[in-house]
Amino acid sequence: MASLVLFINSFLSYLLLFVLIVALVVVACILGAKWRKSSDLKKAGVAGPTMPETVETGK
């Protein structure tokens, strides 16, 4: 019985580690894709979304 508890404990520890690594990989892929898109836009000379400098009121 004690060996079963030790096995389950080890299994859950490695499972938690695996889930943590997968989550980090997903976050890294999302950030990498975002940074790549912004880098490509900068190289192409396209500015991102900008705010207008002045607001016309129509007077």
Side-chain angles (χ1 to χ4, degrees), residues 2-59:
S3 62
L4 179 63
V5 171
L6 289 174
F7 172 75
I8 292 173
N9 189 14
S10 294
F11 180 76
L12 291 177
S13 295
Y14 281 111
L15 182 65
L16 181 64
L17 183 63
F18 177 74
V19 168
L20 180 67
I21 290 172
V22 168
L24 288 174
V25 167
V26 168
V27 169
C29 288
I30 291 171
L31 286 176
K34 182 183 275 191
W35 286 339
R36 178 62 185 252
K37 285 181 184 177
S38 68
S39 174
D40 288 347
L41 287 175
K42 285 180 184 177
K43 287 180 183 176
V46 177
T50 59
M51 298 295 292
E53 292 180 11
T54 60
V55 177
E56 296 180 16
T57 59
K59 290 184 180 179

